[in-house]
Amino acid sequence: MINAQGMMLSVLGQDYFVSYNRVPWLRDARVSSALNVRMAGPNAIEWPELDIDLEIESLKHPERYPLVMKRSPLDIV
């Protein structure tokens, strides 16, 4: 599911909501790129077209990862 606030992911049998507030690069991504997500080892997922990696632990316990990713001016270079 993708909506205006983020997207739901099913990872290893568990469903997680990934908010655009936490991962802003997904907000402007093409749907085909956002749906191209895969496992990156046993403890992480990645969006290869978007160069985004997330630890599964950060999906399970977002309160333990209070830092919100922010766009950098270098992102547009």
Side-chain angles (χ1 to χ4, degrees):
M1 179 204 65
I2 298 174
N3 65 28
Q5 287 77 41
M7 64 186 293
M8 289 293 295
L9 292 176
S10 183
V11 181
L12 301 174
Q14 295 291 316
D15 293 332
Y16 303 101
F17 184 74
V18 179
S19 168
Y20 299 139
N21 290 333
R22 291 188 56 83
V23 187
W25 299 276
L26 288 174
R27 181 188 323 268
D28 298 327
R30 292 180 23 210
V31 171
S32 61
S33 296
L35 294 177
N36 182 19
V37 60
R38 63 184 182 200
M39 294 299 296
N43 302 315
I45 57 173
E46 68 177 347
W47 287 264
E49 294 175 29
L50 303 173
D51 196 27
I52 299 171
D53 301 293
L54 289 178
E55 291 183 28
I56 294 171
E57 193 68 17
S58 72
L59 299 174
K60 290 179 183 178
H61 302 285
E63 70 282 0
R64 295 181 189 167
Y65 297 82
L67 296 178
V68 175
M69 296 175 214
K70 297 189 183 199
R71 289 188 179 268
S72 163
L74 298 176
D75 285 348
I76 58 172
V77 173

